[in-house]
């Protein structure tokens, strides 16, 4: 059954607004659908897929939409929608439009100029080529330009992976175990999970396998004091709490009350009672100082460019500006320094980003070691072995979609050297002031 001709007009209208890049694409889409309640589920799905196709393939689509007759925005929308549902599913097209779309779809993109083929802004393509070489950059671009699969984390407090997979199959939802994360399941379609009893009762949470691995390398144990320093909506917080078997104390810090409020319903579903959400003003907040020198493990999932999430948020590469990276570096270093004060001797600090840029990753990690002689780097190969995760890494965790089928993640683990009595006393005094 063909989609009504009006669907292209709807998609064009929302695409025009999204391409201003004044807000995240998913926010704009949600608002548009709320304002247009008469759009059915099939129409909404087609519009959303069209938008994300355009954002992923913007360079390629724009090159051809700007050539020839007709309005550029309609042609751009037409390519995105045809890629989403097939040109034969669209009503109201002229014969010329159908022929034009079919010609474009037959183009071998490998014959295009490499920066256009990557569908990245030039500054990002050039930076990545300098960092990892042209061939690897194109492989990364291809990986980032594919939609992400749907990964779930099984809540070990309530269930196990095998039983959850069997219950999903009854829905019927097919899944496969994630290759690295021990509690992960990869769903082979995009079902409406929020209506499933498994979801409502907190047996599963949506969490990318890369994020699950990140939670695992913190190595949180029963009875410890642990801090998720930039908790956000709490995906990693929930994973840490389950790893701790609902014992000890787990603090979820964040500067955004709105983000922390999203954690509350998830906490209620999870069955966790050891999590303490704490709103902080900044990385030097008095609430943090009171815990200085007392914490066993700290996870800093730092604010970053978000470029590692391009499979889910392709608009980020167009909204992000090169000048913002330097500002982010200052914030990342400051947050890491503030978080480091929490650790007791022998405690571990995990610095992480969802980015693949060395500027936000290796550079910050190396700078931290140089300016904090009381910490030493723990090689990621050792950390992964401790957690029995079969990934080959060197000093750092570097997850990439074209290699690991995860979002792009970086992590470095630091361990605080045993503190001398004098240093511990000074730390305690600082926290009291």
């Amino acid at each position: 059954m063909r989609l009504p001709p009006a669907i292209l007009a709807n998609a064009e209208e929302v695409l025009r607004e999204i391409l201003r890049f004044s807000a995240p694409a998913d926010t704009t889409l949600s608002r548009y659908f709320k304002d247009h309640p008469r759009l059915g589920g099939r129409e909404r799905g087609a519009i959303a897929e069209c938008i994300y196709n355009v954002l992923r393939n913007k360079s390629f689509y724009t090159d051809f939409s700007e050539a020839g007759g007709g309005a550029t925005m309609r042609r751009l929308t037409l390519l995105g929608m045809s890629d989403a549902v097939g040109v034969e599913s669209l009503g109201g097209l002229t014969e010329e439009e159908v022929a034009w779309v079919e010609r474009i779809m037959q183009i071998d993109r490998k014959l295009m100029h490499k920066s256009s083929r990557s569908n990245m802004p030039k500054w990002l393509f050039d930076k990545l080529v300098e960092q990892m070489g042209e061939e690897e950059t194109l492989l990364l671009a291809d990986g980032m330009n594919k939609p992400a699969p749907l990964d779930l984390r099984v809540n070990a407090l309530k269930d196990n992976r095998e039983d959850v997979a069997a219950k999903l199959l009854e829905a019927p939802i097919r899944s496969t175990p994630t290759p690295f994360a021990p509690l992960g399941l990869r769903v082979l379609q995009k079902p409406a999970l929020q209506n499933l009893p498994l979801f409502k009762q907190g047996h599963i949470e949506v969490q990318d396998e890369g994020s699950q691995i990140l939670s695992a390398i913190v190595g949180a144990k029963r009875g410890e004091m642990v801090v998720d320093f930039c908790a956000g909506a709490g995906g990693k917080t929930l994973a840490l709490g389950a790893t701790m078997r609902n014992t000890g104390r787990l603090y979820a810090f964040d500067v955004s009350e709105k983000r922390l409020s999203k954690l509350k319903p998830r906490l209620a579903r999870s069955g966790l009672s050891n999590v303490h959400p704490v709103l902080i003003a900044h990385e030097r907040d008095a609430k943090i100082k009171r815990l200085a020198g007392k914490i066993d493990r700290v996870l800093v999932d730092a604010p970053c460019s978000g470029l590692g999430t391009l499979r889910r948020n392709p608009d980020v590469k167009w909204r992000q500006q090169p000048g913002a990276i330097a500002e982010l570096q200052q914030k990342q270093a400051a947050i890491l320094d503030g978080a480091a004060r929490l650790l007791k001797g022998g405690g571990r600090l995990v610095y992480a980003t969802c980015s693949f840029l060395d500027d936000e990753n290796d550079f910050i990690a190396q700078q931290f070691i140089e300016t904090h002689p009381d910490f030493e780097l723990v090689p990621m190969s050792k950390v992964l072995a401790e957690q029995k995760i079969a990934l080959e890494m060197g000093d750092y965790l570097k997850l990439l979609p074209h290699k690991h089928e995860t979002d792009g993640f970086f992590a470095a683990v630091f361990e605080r050297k045993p503190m001398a009595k004098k240093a511990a006393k000074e730390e305690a005094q600082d926290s009291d002031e």
Side-chain angles (χ1 to χ4, degrees):
M1 194 173 80
R2 287 190 171 191
L3 287 162
I7 201 75
L8 270 175
N10 287 119
E12 185 178 337
E13 184 181 8
V14 70
L15 178 63
R16 194 181 300 277
E17 186 176 349
I18 283 171
L19 289 182
R20 294 191 183 106
F21 299 117
S22 56
D26 57 351
T27 303
T28 304
L29 258 180
S30 296
R31 189 174 66 246
Y32 186 83
F33 290 150
K34 192 175 179 181
D35 293 343
H36 294 76
R38 295 181 70 178
L39 287 169
R42 186 177 174 226
E43 285 87 353
R44 289 175 183 226
I47 291 169
E49 210 169 327
C50 165
I51 298 302
Y52 282 98
N53 277 339
V54 172
L55 292 170
R56 286 191 184 97
N57 300 284
K58 182 168 166 284
S59 297
F60 174 73
Y61 286 175
T62 301
D63 284 348
F64 292 96
S65 297
E66 290 177 347
T72 298
M73 193 60 68
R74 178 176 170 84
R75 289 155 76 90
L76 201 57
T77 310
L78 193 49
L79 287 175
M81 191 65 82
S82 299
D83 230 352
V85 300
V87 69
E88 66 283 351
S89 298
L90 299 174
L93 302 187
T94 65
E95 286 183 15
E96 290 81 2
E97 284 179 322
V98 172
W100 177 76
V101 168
E102 288 174 345
R103 275 201 314 275
I104 302 302
M105 292 301 172
Q106 288 169 8
I107 291 170
D108 184 353
R109 300 193 190 190
K110 289 180 180 175
L111 301 176
M112 295 180 62
H113 186 274
K114 285 165 183 168
S115 62
S116 294
R117 182 183 142 195
S118 75
N119 277 291
M120 291 180 183
K122 189 174 185 304
W123 73 266
L124 180 58
F125 180 77
D126 291 345
K127 183 178 275 288
L128 288 171
V129 168
E130 185 183 341
Q131 181 178 308
M132 60 178 68
E134 194 175 79
E135 186 179 347
E136 192 72 12
T137 297
L138 288 172
L139 290 171
L140 173 63
D142 288 344
M144 284 293 183
N145 282 335
K146 291 172 185 162
L150 177 62
D151 290 350
L152 308 176
R153 178 184 57 80
V154 175
N155 181 355
L157 294 179
K158 295 192 171 190
D159 222 321
N160 64 68
R161 184 157 71 170
E162 293 72 23
D163 288 351
V164 167
K167 290 169 190 170
L168 285 171
L169 199 53
E170 292 171 10
I173 297 168
R174 290 188 302 127
S175 64
T176 58
T178 47
F180 309 115
L183 293 169
L185 285 169
R186 183 155 292 156
V187 176
L188 306 179
Q189 60 260 67
K190 297 288 176 76
L193 291 173
Q194 63 270 23
N195 299 321
L196 288 179
L198 277 173
F199 181 79
K200 289 179 178 178
Q201 295 162 15
H203 291 240
I204 53 172
E205 274 287 338
V206 175
Q207 188 176 20
D208 180 75
E209 185 182 19
S211 179
Q212 294 183 47
I213 293 167
L214 198 54
S215 305
I217 65 171
V218 176
K221 294 188 175 78
R222 290 172 183 260
E224 288 188 331
M225 289 181 69
V226 178
V227 170
D228 187 352
F229 205 83
C230 306
K236 298 178 191 71
T237 309
L238 298 175
L240 291 170
T243 302
M244 296 164 71
R245 305 303 296 177
N246 208 14
T247 64
R249 287 180 77 82
L250 173 55
Y251 294 95
F253 290 158
D254 205 274
V255 295
S256 168
E257 190 169 7
K258 185 178 178 182
R259 284 197 294 265
L260 280 180
S261 69
K262 291 179 181 177
L263 171 58
K264 288 179 182 176
R266 301 175 79 184
L267 259 183
R269 288 197 305 268
S270 72
L272 290 170
S273 57
N274 66 336
V275 178
H276 304 273
V278 181
L279 180 67
I280 58 172
H282 44 72
E283 67 274 4
R284 298 284 180 153
D285 195 300
K287 295 169 190 171
I288 299 169
K289 288 185 176 181
R290 283 197 287 269
L291 295 170
K294 298 174 183 175
I295 304 297
D296 295 288
R297 294 168 198 270
V298 178
L299 169 61
V300 176
D301 185 8
C304 67
S305 64
L307 291 166
T309 68
L310 291 182
R311 299 182 308 166
R312 303 168 198 284
N313 307 304
D315 55 313
V316 168
K317 62 186 171 186
W318 307 113
R319 289 195 297 114
Q320 192 59 259
Q321 298 300 317
I325 305 299
E327 291 175 29
L328 282 166
Q329 284 180 317
Q330 293 179 359
K331 186 181 288 187
Q332 288 154 355
I335 290 173
L336 192 52
D337 180 64
R341 295 165 182 264
L342 291 168
L343 273 299
K344 60 169 67 167
R348 284 195 178 176
L349 172 63
V350 179
Y351 171 73
T353 71
C354 51
S355 173
F356 38 69
L357 295 182
D358 284 351
D359 293 356
E360 302 181 84
N361 298 337
D362 307 50
F363 175 82
I364 299 294
Q366 288 158 16
Q367 184 186 62
F368 178 80
I369 282 293
E370 288 167 10
T371 54
H372 293 77
D374 53 332
F375 281 85
E376 58 188 358
L377 182 75
V378 184
M380 190 56 62
S381 53
K382 179 186 175 185
V383 176
L384 291 167
E386 288 170 355
Q387 299 304 320
K388 299 181 174 59
I389 295 174
L391 268 169
E392 288 188 18
M393 295 283 163
D395 283 344
Y396 305 126
L397 181 76
K398 293 188 176 185
L399 296 173
L400 297 165
H402 65 293
K403 288 184 176 179
H404 308 106
E405 292 188 48
T406 66
D407 285 345
F409 277 104
F410 170 90
V413 177
F414 311 101
E415 191 169 291
R416 191 165 206 176
K417 297 171 186 175
M419 295 166 70
K421 286 184 181 178
K422 183 182 176 185
K425 187 177 179 182
E426 288 173 354
E427 195 90 42
Q429 286 174 342
D430 286 346
S431 65
D432 291 337
E433 287 173 5

